[in-house]
């Protein structure tokens, strides 16, 4: 008998059937990973275990945990089990902690709710648990507040809260999705270590095969509320049966065919770029301190070339992008676009900005929900001196939409009628409409499911072949950068530490930081062999 | 936290200076000569000029501002043009009606709003929520002078539970409180309705935050999570509204003061304006501004106490 055994689980919320007949199991001391794309029901399966379901949810079937059917228990029994027998770790460490309470109080709370110890003892347990998850007392006293910690550190606090009472089962819902690659690797190692030390069962939910593949003992692939395939990790990798599993693997390591050859003329030249931010004053008098977000960055992007920029959050890659886009004034160095130079103290002018467009990460937040697609897509027209009007404008909108695989009729719809992948296509259409030479893709595929991501990458490859576009491709996801770029730059603390042809960098990295990044990044290809 | 408080204090001082300058010059712009007004149209120009000199009106604007502002700092509000008595004395009697009334109304408003706002949020969509939403809608919509009259005619006249008007003074604290209860309740009702709605929506926002789910996953009951995690986080917008309401209650009670025959600041300033008693207007408005700025300062400090993230910014 396994620690957790789910049999024939069905879940409906209102009229929507979310789960159909899900069965899986988790053994003590083992890691079961549930993989699926958005809407597959993987998170809901997890929430069925500790019964933290949305209002109006109806469940059927059997969720046997430690000899009890969780579906049959009443709320007060469930409250006693949550936190004590079943711990949970969430996707968003930035928002999973209460911002107005100290980390010590929040970890100790788990102990106190269950009356497992007195207040001073609970604080001691909190301290020990924070030490265990790698937050030592010297740097991380109990009196710290969540906003004083980084994302990875916050996730460690969330893990500490979940394991403070040494639960039998830990549920981790996308625990590393919001984190950088090196932090992601550290958190996965931590979870693995805790499972071994405490003999806990871990139900790990993820959309990323690469992340879970080298830690999971057992893999469950879900799609549209059903389990399509499951088995021991090594077995699944060798003998996958279901076409969806195969498609998922293929999409995860998808490489689009690219034919475009970079020309010799540069479209963008950045020389010794410096970008300073003024920080809040430390004292009432004296100059405000400055933070150098971009420190002497130089590079050249040729016409038709696809250049990758990788680095962890806070390395300055977004700041660099904003400076190039002309959204902020630069403090040193210069930016040349098509040979026209913008010097320190200036902002890239509108006349140059029309050569560039940007596609952002969030396909949900980057559109005004009250405007129709036609208006959204035609927004960049304000950069032109004489934007097309009437029929010409309509034609331009349809052309842009059809170029990204959407229909011309979609212009009359509102953005909420589209899925994440479709929205990202519309964002690309918006970038294309004034026929720029350079498109900056700022984590443009990071929020997408792997299969959708593969389609968008194909689209980008096709567009650059057809239109001779240059890309500056910014991402924290190394496998994506490897698939779509000719050259890659590695950025750390505001500086470019390594630059070179993509394959060369990936195969023989020179800088220590690049090596660390590559070592931390999960690679499916290595696992398949 | 110390630096934060000092910064807020500095900004309080600067706001006061800016406000005093604005009030002084705006009042000076109002046409009409107070001396001429006091002496009547038939007075000789010499008599008017003599009075102007006596009141200091013949001096330059800056000098007069300085006299007025430095006087304020020493508690000297000047002499009323109309009544020839120190403004400070006139104000003193009034403040001890208006301030307790405002505090009383604020207390009632909070006492009504918090529980019903919390219940409405906790039982969202239930009949209790509907009742609160409907009731508060009504509370905002009812004109308070009408409501005051209804209250007087039922509770004071028919049943004699409260006094219908007038103020006996603080020599008899219980009688004074009784006299203020009905006006405070009438003032509090619309404020409580607004506050309850703000409380409800702020709490609903907080309840959908990720950390609430974390609290449930730790084993908190729905109610425990609400009490220990949601309430404090939901307080920021509520505090903002409380601060605004206090300012309003302090000076905005003219109609209610009239209905209940209360000798408050509102009716005093109203009379002073009609009599062109500029020195009274200036001083009372300055006093109210001071109260508002002080309340804003206190609200800012409370923000920082509630939310540690705000302590670093200023």
């Amino acid at each position: 008998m396994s620690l957790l055994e789910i049999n024939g689980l069905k879940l409906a919320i209102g009229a929507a059937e979310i789960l159909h007949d899900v069965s899986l199991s988790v053994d003590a001391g083992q890691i079961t990973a549930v993989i699926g794309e958005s809407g597959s029901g993987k998170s809901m399966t997890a929430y069925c275990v500790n019964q933290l379901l949305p209002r109006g949810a109806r469940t059927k079937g059997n969720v046997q945990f430690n000899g009890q059917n969780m579906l049959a228990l009443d709320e007060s029994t469930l409250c006693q089990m949550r936190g004590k027998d079943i711990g949970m770790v969430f996707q968003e460490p930035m928002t999973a902690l209460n911002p107005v309470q100290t980390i010590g109080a929040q970890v100790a709370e788990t102990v106190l709710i269950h009356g497992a110890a007195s207040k001073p003892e609970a604080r001691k347990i909190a301290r020990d648990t924070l030490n265990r998850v790698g937050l030592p007392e010297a740097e991380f006293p109990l009196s710290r507040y969540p906003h004083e910690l980084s994302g990875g550190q916050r996730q460690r606090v969330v893990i500490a809260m979940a394991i403070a009472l040494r639960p039998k089962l830990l549920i981790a819902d996308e625990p590393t999705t919001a984190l950088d690659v090196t932090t992601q690797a550290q958190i996965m190692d931590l979870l693995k270590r805790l499972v071994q030390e405490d003999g806990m069962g871990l139900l790990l939910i993820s959309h990323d095969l690469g992340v879970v593949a080298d830690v999971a003992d057992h893999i469950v692939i879900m799609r549209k509320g059903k389990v399509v395939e499951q088995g021991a990790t090594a077995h699944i990798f060798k003998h996958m049966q279901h076409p969806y599993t195969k498609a998922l693997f293929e999409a995860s390591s998808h490489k689009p065919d690219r034919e475009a050859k970079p020309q010799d003329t540069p479209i963008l030249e950045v020389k010794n770029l410096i970008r300073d931010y003024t920080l809040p004053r430390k004292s009432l008098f004296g100059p405000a301190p400055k933070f150098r977000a971009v420190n002497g960055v130089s590079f050249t992007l040729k016409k038709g070339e696809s250049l990758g920029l990788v680095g962890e959050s806070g390395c300055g890659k977004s700041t660099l992008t904003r400076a190039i886009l002309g959204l902020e004034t630069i403090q040193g160095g210069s930016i040349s676009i098509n040979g026209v130079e913008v010097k320190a103290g200036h902002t890239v002018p509108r006349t140059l900005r029309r050569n560039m467009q940007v596609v952002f990460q969030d396909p949900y937040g980057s559109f005004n929900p009250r405007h129709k697609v036609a208006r959204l897509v035609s927004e960049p027209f304000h950069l032109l001196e004489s934007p097309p009007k009437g029929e010409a404008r309509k034609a331009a909108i349809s052309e842009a939409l059809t170029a990204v695989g959407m229909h011309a009729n979609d212009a009359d719809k509102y953005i909420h009628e589209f899925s994440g992948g479709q929205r990202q296509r519309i964002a690309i259409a918006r970038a294309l409409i004034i026929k720029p030479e350079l498109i900056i893709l700022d984590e443009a595929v990071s929020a997408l499911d792997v299969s959708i991501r593969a389609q968008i990458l194909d689209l980008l490859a096709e567009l650059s072949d057809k239109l001779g576009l240059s890309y500056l491709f910014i991402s924290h996801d190394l496998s994506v950068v490897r698939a779509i770029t000719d050259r890659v730059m590695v950025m750390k603390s505001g500086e470019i530490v390594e630059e070179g042809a993509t394959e060369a960098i990936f195969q023989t990295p020179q800088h220590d930081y690049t090596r660390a990044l590559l070592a931390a990044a999960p690679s499916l290809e290595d696992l398949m062999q | 936290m110390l630096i934060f408080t000092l910064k807020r204090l500095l900004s309080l001082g600067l706001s006061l200076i800016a406000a005093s300058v604005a009030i002084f010059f705006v009042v000076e712009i109002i046409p009409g000569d107070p001396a001429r007004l006091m002496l009547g149209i038939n007075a000789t120009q010499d008599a008017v000029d003599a009075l102007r000199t006596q009141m200091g009106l013949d001096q330059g604007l800056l000098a007069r501002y300085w006299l007025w502002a430095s006087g304020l700092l020493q508690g000297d509000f000047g002499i009323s043009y109309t009544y020839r008595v120190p403004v400070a004395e006139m104000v003193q009697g009034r403040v001890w009606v208006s301030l307790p009334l405002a505090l009383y109304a604020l207390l009632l408003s909070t006492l009504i709003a918090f529980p019903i706002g919390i219940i409405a949020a906790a039982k969202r969509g239930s009949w209790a929520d509907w009742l609160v939403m409907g009731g508060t809608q009504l509370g905002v919509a009812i004109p308070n002078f009408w409501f005051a009259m209804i209250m007087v005619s039922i509770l004071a006249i028919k049943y004699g539970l409260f006094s219908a008007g007038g103020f006996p003074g603080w020599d008899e604290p219980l009688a004074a409180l009784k006299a203020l209860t009905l006006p405070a309740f009438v003032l509090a009702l619309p404020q409580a309705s607004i506050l309850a709605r703000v409380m409800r929506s702020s709490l609903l926002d907080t309840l959908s935050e990720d950390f609430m789910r974390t609290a449930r996953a730790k084993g908190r009951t729905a109610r425990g999570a609400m009490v220990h995690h949601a309430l404090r986080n939901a307080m920021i917008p509520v505090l903002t509204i409380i601060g605004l309401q206090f300012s309003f209650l302090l000076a905005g009670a003219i109609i209610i003061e009239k209905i209940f025959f209360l000798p408050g600041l509102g009716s005093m300033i109203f009379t002073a304006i009609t009599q062109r008693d500029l020195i009274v207007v200036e001083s009372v408005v300055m006093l109210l501004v001071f109260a508002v700025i002080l309340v804003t300062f206190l609200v800012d400090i409370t923000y920082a106490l509630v939310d540690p993230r705000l302590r670093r910014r200023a």
Side-chain angles (χ1 to χ4, degrees), chain A residues 75 95-96 98 106 109 114, chain B residues 210 214 216 218 220 229 233:
Chain A
E75 179 62 21
T95 52
N98 185 341
Q106 295 190 58
E109 190 187 5
H114 297 283
Chain B
D210 284 354
T214 312
R216 296 300 312 277
K218 277 195 240 180
R220 281 272 183 219
H229 292 279
N233 276 289

Side-chain angles (χ1 to χ4, degrees), chain A residues 47 55 75 79 82-83 90 95-101 106 109-110 113-114 145 147 161, chain B residues 7 124 210-211 213-214 216-221 228-229 232-233 306-309 311-312:
Chain A
Y47 286 111
R55 276 188 185 202
E75 179 62 21
C79 281
R82 289 184 201 127
F90 304 93
T95 52
L97 293 167
N98 185 341
V100 305
Q101 285 185 6
Q106 295 190 58
E109 190 187 5
T110 308
I113 293 171
H114 297 283
Y145 282 99
H147 69 266
M161 293 192 311
Chain B
K7 278 185 177 173
R124 178 189 195 174
D210 284 354
F211 61 77
R213 191 182 52 190
T214 312
R216 296 300 312 277
K218 277 195 240 180
R220 281 272 183 219
T221 56
H228 289 93
H229 292 279
R232 192 168 154 192
N233 276 289
V306 168
D307 192 337
R309 287 170 298 181
R311 285 171 208 166
R312 292 194 305 184

Side-chain angles (χ1 to χ4, degrees), chain A residues 491-510:
Chain A
M491 195 166 180
K492 181 177 190 268
S493 313
E495 291 173 21
I496 304 283
V497 295
E498 187 164 2
E499 186 198 340
T502 303
E503 270 314 303
I505 296 265
F506 274 80
Q507 307 233 339
T508 52
Q510 300 301 314

Side-chain angles (χ1 to χ4, degrees), chain A residues 241-318:
Chain A
Q241 297 297 321
H242 198 277
Y244 179 70
T245 314
K246 288 178 182 162
L248 203 60
F249 271 80
E250 205 286 317
S252 301
S253 47
H254 180 74
K255 259 196 167 112
D257 298 323
R258 298 179 58 240
E259 284 159 17
K261 288 279 172 287
Q263 301 164 14
D264 283 337
T265 39
I267 165 106
L268 172 70
E269 268 185 293
V270 172
K271 281 189 197 134
N272 295 317
L273 185 77
I274 288 174
R275 178 78 187 91
D276 288 330
Y277 283 110
T278 311
L279 297 175
R281 284 160 197 271
K282 286 262 161 55
S283 64
L284 281 177
F285 306 101
K290 280 188 176 151
F291 173 70
R292 183 150 288 187
V294 176
N295 186 11
V297 165
S298 303
F299 68 89
T300 306
L301 173 56
K302 294 186 185 119
K303 283 194 174 162
E305 188 181 33
S306 173
L307 176 62
L309 177 59
V310 296
E312 305 200 307
S313 46
C315 75
K317 54 190 198 294
S318 295

Side-chain angles (χ1 to χ4, degrees), chain A residues 251-469:
Chain A
S252 301
S253 47
H254 180 74
K255 259 196 167 112
D257 298 323
R258 298 179 58 240
E259 284 159 17
K261 288 279 172 287
Q263 301 164 14
D264 283 337
T265 39
I267 165 106
L268 172 70
E269 268 185 293
V270 172
K271 281 189 197 134
N272 295 317
L273 185 77
I274 288 174
R275 178 78 187 91
D276 288 330
Y277 283 110
T278 311
L279 297 175
R281 284 160 197 271
K282 286 262 161 55
S283 64
L284 281 177
F285 306 101
K290 280 188 176 151
F291 173 70
R292 183 150 288 187
V294 176
N295 186 11
V297 165
S298 303
F299 68 89
T300 306
L301 173 56
K302 294 186 185 119
K303 283 194 174 162
E305 188 181 33
S306 173
L307 176 62
L309 177 59
V310 296
E312 305 200 307
S313 46
C315 75
K317 54 190 198 294
S318 295
T319 308
L320 177 62
T321 321
R322 283 200 297 273
I324 295 170
L325 283 169
L327 302 177
E328 288 173 3
T329 311
I330 56 176
Q331 277 72 44
S334 68
I335 298 172
S336 304
I337 292 151
N338 272 340
V340 185
E341 195 178 38
V342 180
K343 287 204 165 70
H346 294 273
T347 308
V348 176
R350 262 162 67 120
T351 43
L352 290 179
R353 273 197 254 159
R354 73 180 58 135
N355 295 317
M356 306 175 283
Q357 282 295 302
V358 64
V359 178
F360 291 108
Q361 171 171 6
D362 185 357
Y364 293 89
S366 55
F367 290 105
N368 185 334
R370 305 203 204 293
H371 292 172
K372 285 185 177 169
V373 168
R375 179 160 171 194
L376 295 170
V377 166
S378 58
E379 267 168 335
F381 276 153
H382 76 271
L383 289 169
L384 304 182
E385 267 123 36
S386 54
K389 293 206 166 55
E391 284 304 315
R393 185 185 158 92
K394 267 191 188 158
I397 293 169
S398 333
E399 189 192 339
L401 284 174
T402 36
V404 298
M406 303 290 290
H407 202 271
N409 293 343
D410 292 332
D412 290 328
K413 292 182 184 162
Y414 286 96
I415 199 71
H416 67 258
E417 298 172 59
F418 299 96
S419 69
Q422 288 172 320
R423 286 174 200 219
Q424 213 56 336
R425 284 176 189 267
I426 294 170
I428 295 169
R430 172 167 66 181
L432 286 176
I433 198 156
I434 56 169
K435 306 204 186 320
E437 294 169 86
L438 167 62
I439 294 186
I440 298 180
L441 300 147
D442 189 356
E443 301 278 4
V445 296
S446 303
L448 303 175
D449 278 328
V450 279
S451 56
I452 310 293
R453 185 174 80 190
Q455 291 168 15
I456 297 288
L457 288 177
D458 282 340
L459 172 68
L460 290 172
E462 180 198 321
L463 289 172
S464 81
D465 290 352
K466 214 157 58 182
L467 307 170
L469 291 170

